[in-house]
Amino acid sequence: MHQPFMRTALMAAVLAGTAGLTGCASIVSGTSQVVSVETLHPSGNVAGASCKLENDKGVYYVTTPGTVTVHRAYGDMNVKCEKPGYDAGLATFKSSTKGMMAGNILFGGVIGAGVDASTGAAYDYPVLFQVMLGQQAGMPAAAPAAAPVAAATPAPVGASLP
């Protein structure tokens, strides 16, 4: 009777240890997320634009309006949308840390939090990406071009200045 109890206890300990090595966020919501993309122009919605979404976990493509499954990541999602007759639209969308990450640190420990951070499961992107064609939203601004500086000509030695 002692043997079956030990087997059951050992099996429970192995299962609990295995569950402790996985992240809480990855169990609850996974490492991927569905996002919707739509393109706009001052004249209204623009359908049929081809968009390329890119983060440090991969590259994704969608035609607007549409949805695409992306891998969650700590880094920003860069989006470029193009349609003939319009200037391209560029936008950057930041990921945010999910609230459950704090609970993961408390209950899943450092290992669970590390797993969720490395797989991207601890992060979320906005569910809707709106890209304005012809604009760069959230992208670093280009440095203004420097005005040409006129070369100074030294005055001849002994000349008086006006």
Side-chain angles (χ1 to χ4, degrees):
M1 186 187 296
H2 185 60
Q3 190 95 4
F5 175 74
M6 289 300 287
R7 262 191 214 148
T8 304
L10 180 61
M11 181 73 80
V14 168
L15 289 173
T18 303
L21 292 176
T22 62
C24 180
S26 58
I27 292 172
V28 174
S29 57
T31 58
S32 59
Q33 170 185 355
V34 176
V35 296
S36 296
V37 182
E38 59 182 46
T39 44
L40 307 169
H41 189 264
S43 60
N45 288 347
V46 177
S50 298
C51 298
K52 175 182 175 183
L53 294 74
E54 188 171 4
N55 66 8
D56 60 352
K57 299 286 185 180
V59 178
Y60 320 93
Y61 298 92
V62 65
T63 300
T64 63
T67 59
V68 63
T69 301
V70 300
H71 288 283
R72 292 182 164 112
Y74 170 75
D76 297 344
M77 181 71 73
N78 296 311
V79 182
K80 180 178 184 177
C81 296
E82 297 176 299
K83 182 173 180 169
Y86 295 89
D87 290 332
L90 302 171
T92 299
F93 298 92
K94 300 202 173 289
S95 67
S96 59
T97 304
K98 294 181 189 177
M100 69 178 67
M101 186 66 168
N104 192 5
I105 292 170
L106 292 173
F107 299 110
V110 175
I111 293 173
V115 168
D116 284 348
S118 67
T119 63
Y123 308 103
D124 261 334
Y125 288 107
V127 294
L128 176 62
F129 294 172
Q130 291 183 314
V131 180
M132 183 68 73
L133 294 177
Q135 290 188 359
Q136 298 182 6
M139 303 298 274
V149 177
T153 309
V157 176
S160 63
L161 295 174

